[in-house]
Amino acid sequence: VVREDWGLASGFLRSVERFADRPAVQFAKGVWSYADLYRSAARLAQTMTIRSRHDEPPLTAVLAEKSPLAYAGILAASLRGHGYVPLTPTNPAMRNRALLDQLRTSTLVVDSFSSRQLTEILPTLQTPQTILLPDMDQAAADDLANRFPRHSFVPADSFENGERFSPTKPDGCAAAYVLFTSGSTGRPKGVLVSHHNIQHFLKVVADLYGIGPEDRLTQW
């Protein structure tokens, strides 16, 4: 039984244990169970662990649509003890590049829809990236590698097996994620949200609305 505090990922890990076959994410093209989502996140997390630099900051950026792949990327960051940085593909590419430069992250998860921004983000990005492409093949990764040789690209068929992946327990005061202000009055500013912060918020909301296993929540 999952009794330890795994930070933001704690509730998800408990749901994987208790409700593995129940729907975790429902979207236009189908449904992923908790077990499906964990397998995808574990493969990503294990690949990040093997491929990433040892001196990288404990943050992982996710540039993706609202999709199961985005959730898998967020969970992968959490499972390996990293905070995640959500980058919105509908925002200007130059804003996303500026946020990456501020944080100097070196691991980036990108889906195929959002990969079009890489042409504007990567040429002048200060920190070389390890870029995981969960819905792209080797040919697409090779094409990107030829165009942007400073960076490493890992397609889905090169991901590590996640069966032996072991989550990393985070410090409760460490970043669960980092959000940025709009920057309308100047440079966007990063706001760190700790594991303790978000866990307390989620508990209050779940208790307030009586959220249980049969409920569904929407994200728009």
Side-chain angles (χ1 to χ4, degrees):
V1 178
V2 177
R3 298 188 186 279
E4 293 186 89
D5 184 357
W6 297 99
L8 180 59
S10 294
F12 172 71
L13 290 173
R14 284 192 290 271
S15 293
V16 172
E17 186 176 71
R18 297 173 61 196
F19 313 117
D21 296 327
R22 289 192 184 183
V25 182
Q26 183 171 350
F27 55 108
K29 296 181 181 179
V31 176
W32 280 20
S33 69
Y34 283 100
D36 293 332
L37 189 52
Y38 179 80
R39 280 192 292 268
S40 182
R43 289 192 70 207
L44 273 167
Q46 182 71 352
T47 305
M48 292 174 186
T49 300
I50 298 297
R51 300 274 187 146
S52 299
R53 292 177 2 205
H54 295 298
D55 61 342
E56 67 177 355
L59 293 171
T60 296
V62 179
L63 176 60
E65 294 185 284
K66 293 177 181 177
S67 69
L69 292 178
Y71 290 113
I74 289 168
L75 285 165
S78 295
L79 291 172
R80 67 184 296 240
H82 274 209
Y84 73 90
V85 183
L87 302 177
T88 305
T90 54
N91 281 345
M94 292 301 96
R95 173 185 166 87
N96 287 331
R97 187 196 69 188
L99 305 188
L100 290 171
D101 274 337
Q102 277 195 52
L103 296 174
R104 297 189 179 276
T105 59
S106 59
T107 301
L108 176 61
V109 179
V110 181
D111 67 5
S112 56
F113 173 82
S114 309
S115 64
R116 58 190 178 183
Q117 284 207 1
L118 296 178
T119 300
E120 296 180 73
I121 290 174
L122 295 182
T124 56
L125 194 63
Q126 296 179 32
T127 304
Q129 302 289 306
T130 297
I131 302 172
L132 286 81
L133 307 167
D135 61 348
M136 299 175 71
D137 60 18
Q138 187 65 55
D142 289 343
D143 176 63
L144 288 167
N146 288 332
R147 293 161 60 194
F148 309 108
R150 290 181 60 241
H151 307 281
S152 300
F153 299 87
V154 187
D157 54 7
S158 295
F159 284 5
E160 301 291 329
N161 188 324
E163 289 183 3
R164 296 184 179 180
F165 173 75
S166 179
T168 298
K169 188 175 180 179
D171 184 326
C173 295
Y177 57 93
V178 179
L179 296 179
F180 279 83
T181 61
S182 66
S184 58
T185 59
R187 187 185 189 193
K189 297 177 178 63
V191 179
L192 181 154
V193 180
S194 74
H195 288 275
H196 284 166
N197 293 153
I198 187 60
Q199 285 177 287
H200 177 71
F201 171 77
L202 292 174
K203 183 179 185 308
V204 169
V205 170
D207 290 345
L208 179 64
Y209 294 104
I211 298 171
E214 303 303 324
D215 293 312
R216 295 184 180 186
L217 305 179
T218 183
Q219 181 180 11
W220 185 252

